[in-house]
């Protein structure tokens, strides 16, 4: 089990100087944005800049424009012709599994549908299972809140649970949380990211480098939990029973072991996971 990405840093595709800084940052993943961060008049230039960056071997993800729009069509054509080091694409405003399949077949790289409408949320599981190249699903909460006509986190509670369940039912990673737009409110970012982790999310889209260390800290499991997981995985390698009572009197079965492996993975202890649990 490899450690999942914690931070996904968006950078405007028409700003080469910012792209260079983003790629040199501590973000686990960088998303070159061709959609919301780029003005309509700058779309073509942004597309050329992104393609050139990928052609240089700079591995990154790309958020394309809505794939049923003229800009989205041009984005797909450019990336299909010269994919370079394209790691995957984020697909905004996803609603149609058929359209998602077309994009995946066209690009042949991991695709990440972003659900930003009521219909997108309603089709969450269908989108998550639309194609083998679907690598994760997430919410675009600003657009979704507008479509649902809700304000505040309470109005998004059900869609958040829905996308968590759909992702895990499809065998995908836990969804990545949407951006925290109050860039200077790092305490709020930390608290909200920790709450998101408890609700089944992992990792977060970020829009400023200052948010990266906060998200990384919020994604780190407690030291006590890691020690417990390490001890349990060590015990698994010495115990061939399907279930047992451990030394502290706690019941252990496959689900408990999987949680321990997950904790070690997000703690970055992949070598320990490999040695303690070869399967």
């Amino acid at each position: 089990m490899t450690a999942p990405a914690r931070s996904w840093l968006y950078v405007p595709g028409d700003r080469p100087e910012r792209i260079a800084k983003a790629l040199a940052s501590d973000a686990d993943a960088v998303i070159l944005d061709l959609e919301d961060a780029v003005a309509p008049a700058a779309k073509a230039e942004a597309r050329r800049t992104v393609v050139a960056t990928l052609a240089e071997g700079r591995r990154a993800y790309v958020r394309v424009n809505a794939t049923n729009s003229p800009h989205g069509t041009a984005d797909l054509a450019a990336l299909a012709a010269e994919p370079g080091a394209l790691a995957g694409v984020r697909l905004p405003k996803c609603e149609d599994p058929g359209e998602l399949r077309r994009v995946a077949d066209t690009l042949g790289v991991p695709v990440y549908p972003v659900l930003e409408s009521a219909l997108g949320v309603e089709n969450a599981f269908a989108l998550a299972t639309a194609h083998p190249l679907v690598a994760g699903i997430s919410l675009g909460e600003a657009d979704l809140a507008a479509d649902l006509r809700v304000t505040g986190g309470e109005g998004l509670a059900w869609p958040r649970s829905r996308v968590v369940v759909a992702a895990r039912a499809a065998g995908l990673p836990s969804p990545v949380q949407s951006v925290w737009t109050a860039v200077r409110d790092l305490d709020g970012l930390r608290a909200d990211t920790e709450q998101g982790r408890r609700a089944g999310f992992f990792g977060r889209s970020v829009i400023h480098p200052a948010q990266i260390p906060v998200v990384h800290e919020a994604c780190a499991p407690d030291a006590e939990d890691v020690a417990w997981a390490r001890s349990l995985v060590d015990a698994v390698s010495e115990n061939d029973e399907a279930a047992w009572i451990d030394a502290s009197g706690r019941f252990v079965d496959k689900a408990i072991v999987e949680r321990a492996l997950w904790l070690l993975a997000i703690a970055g202890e992949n070598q320990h996971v490999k040695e303690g649990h070869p399967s």
Side-chain angles (χ1 to χ4, degrees):
M1 185 183 294
T2 58
R6 301 160 296 177
S7 54
W8 298 72
L9 176 61
Y10 277 104
V11 58
D14 61 340
R15 301 293 297 274
E17 73 287 355
R18 288 195 189 181
I19 290 174
K21 290 179 180 178
L23 291 169
S25 73
D26 291 330
D28 289 341
V30 172
I31 304 169
L32 310 181
D33 193 9
L34 294 173
E35 196 211 11
D36 285 348
V38 179
K43 296 284 189 185
E45 180 60 30
R47 193 177 301 118
R48 288 191 289 269
T49 299
V50 166
V51 169
T53 300
L54 297 171
E56 293 171 358
R58 310 298 297 275
R59 187 175 186 274
Y61 297 81
V62 174
R63 178 167 71 172
V64 297
N65 290 278
T67 57
N68 58 357
S69 70
H71 286 306
T73 299
D75 293 342
L76 295 180
L79 293 173
E82 297 184 60
L86 179 63
V89 291
R90 277 199 172 185
L91 306 177
K93 301 173 176 62
C94 257
E95 296 178 339
D96 180 5
E99 175 69 6
L100 178 54
R101 284 189 287 271
R102 182 185 73 81
V103 173
D105 287 337
T106 297
L107 296 179
V109 298
V111 293
Y112 297 80
V114 183
L115 317 184
E116 302 184 76
S117 67
L119 182 56
V121 173
E122 194 70 13
N123 289 340
F125 184 70
L127 292 166
T129 56
H131 195 282
L133 284 172
V134 175
I137 61 174
S138 59
L139 296 176
E141 293 191 354
D143 284 323
L144 178 59
D147 189 45
L148 297 177
R149 301 173 182 171
V150 301
T151 56
E154 298 86 353
L156 294 175
W158 186 86
R160 287 169 177 167
S161 293
R162 171 65 174 147
V163 77
V164 168
V165 172
R168 298 303 297 135
L172 298 176
S174 299
V176 175
Q177 276 185 279
S178 292
V179 297
W180 178 259
T181 56
V183 174
R184 291 186 177 86
D185 183 9
L186 298 181
D187 289 337
L189 170 64
R190 179 180 288 103
D192 193 68
T193 305
E194 290 172 349
Q195 181 179 352
R197 223 187 97 196
R198 291 192 294 270
F201 290 83
F202 187 82
R204 185 146 211 168
S205 296
V206 298
I207 53 176
H208 192 281
Q211 296 178 319
I212 296 171
V214 178
V215 168
H216 288 185
E217 291 170 9
C219 287
D222 294 336
E224 284 187 11
D225 288 342
V226 174
W228 165 82
R230 193 183 301 121
S231 174
L232 179 63
V233 170
D234 286 341
V236 170
S237 64
E238 302 169 1
N239 194 328
D240 58 2
E241 296 181 16
W244 70 94
I245 304 298
D246 68 13
S248 65
R250 295 168 60 176
F251 178 78
V252 177
D253 63 1
K254 183 174 181 288
I256 302 299
V257 174
E258 288 178 351
R259 170 167 171 72
L261 291 172
W262 165 246
L263 286 170
L264 292 177
I266 64 176
E269 297 197 12
N270 300 322
Q271 186 63 31
H272 192 93
V273 169
K274 183 177 179 182
E275 292 176 352
H277 197 75
S279 61

